[in-house]
Amino acid sequence: SDADAQAAPGHIDPATLCDVYRYRRIGENTRIFGVIGDPVMHSRSPWIHNPAFDALGIDAVYVPFHVDDPRELLTACADLDVDGLSVTIPHKERITDLLSSIDETVREVGSCNTVVRRNGRLDGYNTDVRGFLTAVSRLFADGAPPRRTTVVGAGGTARAVLHALTGAGCEVLVVNRTVERARELAERYGCLVAPLSKDSIGLLRSYSALIVQTTSAGMKPHDDLDPLWFYDFDGSETVFDVIYAPPETLLLSRAREAGCVTSNGWRMLLEQAYLQFELFTGGKYPRERVAPTPPHVEG
């Protein structure tokens, strides 16, 4: 479809098909990589991996797979000859039981964001932990996150964030709509748990030096949601939202207007993707030759 008149969801315009996915150069020997999720068509990962394949002369393509159930795609990986996958919301936790092996970080975190197929085996890795810590460290002068922090959500990305923060010596408060779901995290990481509601305002304020938002609230089709709608920022907080499309969620917009230091998830996406690229190809990402660009602000 034309970029300005999409005929159906998921349609790609001709320029993107040729320039990003290099459609005219795909042949029978082209290696296939991709990202699975629900939703996933917003993913900017193809704009990170495909230019790197091109820069290094690697005959490969990286595409999005909209998957409701990861078992369906993993079963088809052999037929499609898929060599590697990035894994995003909501499959990071459920995919771990479907793999041949998992690395130590996946075992500790319980969340997998990278799958590599080797000799018929599906091996799982987690690059989110290092990707997040590298990204969030850039927000602080001494390169270290503050002692008391809050994590919003209790899914696969939250697990990676918690692993990174507690490993860096932080005391963490987890706020989640379903408190029971966060109990396991409290037991695993020794963190506090509270409901995602007005009742938690007092506790949240004492753990607000860094607030990390890890849910899909703020991302299409939930871009009208602000998970911390009840909390008024005073400007002292640093707010990190793992969402990068849109570039500024309602949460980040409110925080910025209040004078907070804010960051979306673009840098985290890049850092974890660089590590994925090494797992996929065995080589370093060509940072000096490829500079992926974040999605533009809409409207």
Side-chain angles (χ1 to χ4, degrees):
S1 299
D2 183 273
D4 298 322
Q6 193 177 55
H11 277 211
I12 298 171
D13 65 275
T16 300
L17 197 62
C18 293
D19 297 342
V20 177
Y21 296 98
R22 308 186 329 281
Y23 173 74
R24 298 188 188 281
R25 284 183 276 165
I26 293 176
E28 61 180 17
N29 295 319
T30 301
R31 299 176 66 191
I32 301 172
F33 298 90
V35 53
I36 65 171
D38 180 20
V40 77
M41 295 310 296
H42 69 283
S43 176
R44 200 69 179 176
S45 293
W47 277 258
I48 299 174
H49 289 280
N50 285 317
F53 292 148
D54 203 25
L56 296 178
I58 298 173
D59 186 8
V61 65
Y62 182 104
V63 297
F65 293 102
H66 186 176
V67 177
D68 296 324
D69 185 343
R71 288 175 296 186
E72 297 174 359
L73 183 60
L74 293 185
T75 300
C77 271
D79 294 334
L80 294 172
D81 212 20
V82 176
D83 284 343
L85 294 168
S86 305
V87 184
T88 188
I89 294 172
H91 303 317
K92 293 184 179 185
E93 294 168 271
R94 66 184 68 172
I95 203 170
T96 56
D97 293 333
L98 308 175
L99 304 175
S100 306
S101 71
I102 55 177
D103 74 352
E104 188 61 28
T105 305
V106 174
R107 186 171 293 106
E108 292 174 356
V109 176
S111 171
C112 170
N113 78 317
T114 309
V115 176
V116 179
R117 187 168 70 92
R118 300 185 183 97
N119 302 317
R121 294 172 52 85
L122 295 171
D123 301 326
Y125 304 87
N126 185 299
T127 65
D128 276 338
V129 173
R130 286 174 58 192
F132 166 74
L133 199 55
T134 300
V136 80
S137 295
R138 296 162 61 99
L139 302 178
F140 302 97
D142 61 358
R147 183 180 176 190
R148 286 193 161 190
T149 66
T150 290
V151 174
V152 181
T157 303
R159 289 171 176 268
V161 168
L162 270 168
H163 191 79
L165 290 175
T166 55
C170 299
E171 298 176 11
V172 184
L173 167 68
V174 177
V175 290
N176 195 53
R177 286 187 303 174
T178 307
V179 173
E180 290 72 21
R181 177 172 169 76
R183 294 289 184 203
E184 181 196 347
L185 298 183
E187 294 175 2
R188 182 187 293 250
Y189 294 105
C191 56
L192 295 177
V193 174
L196 189 57
S197 70
K198 293 180 179 179
D199 296 336
S200 303
I201 289 179
L203 191 57
L204 205 159
R205 287 206 181 280
S206 61
Y207 283 80
S208 62
L210 169 64
I211 298 175
V212 184
Q213 199 294 115
T214 70
T215 76
S216 60
M219 179 175 68
K220 288 186 177 180
H222 309 297
D223 49 337
D224 60 341
L225 298 182
D226 179 345
L228 287 179
W229 59 271
F230 56 85
Y231 180 86
D232 292 324
F233 297 102
D234 63 18
S236 66
E237 305 90 345
T238 294
V239 184
F240 187 102
D241 196 326
V242 300
I243 293 171
Y244 61 88
E248 186 174 74
T249 59
L250 290 178
L251 174 69
L252 286 186
S253 176
R254 281 201 308 115
R256 176 181 54 78
E257 290 173 358
C260 300
V261 173
T262 63
S263 174
N264 65 21
W266 176 248
R267 176 52 56 178
M268 177 181 175
L269 180 73
L270 284 180
E271 296 296 340
Q272 63 82 34
Y274 295 155
L275 298 169
Q276 284 183 334
F277 189 85
E278 293 183 29
L279 290 168
F280 289 157
T281 67
K284 295 286 187 180
Y285 191 93
R287 300 192 193 200
E288 72 286 350
R289 299 168 61 185
V290 179
T293 57
H296 299 296
V297 177
E298 297 179 4

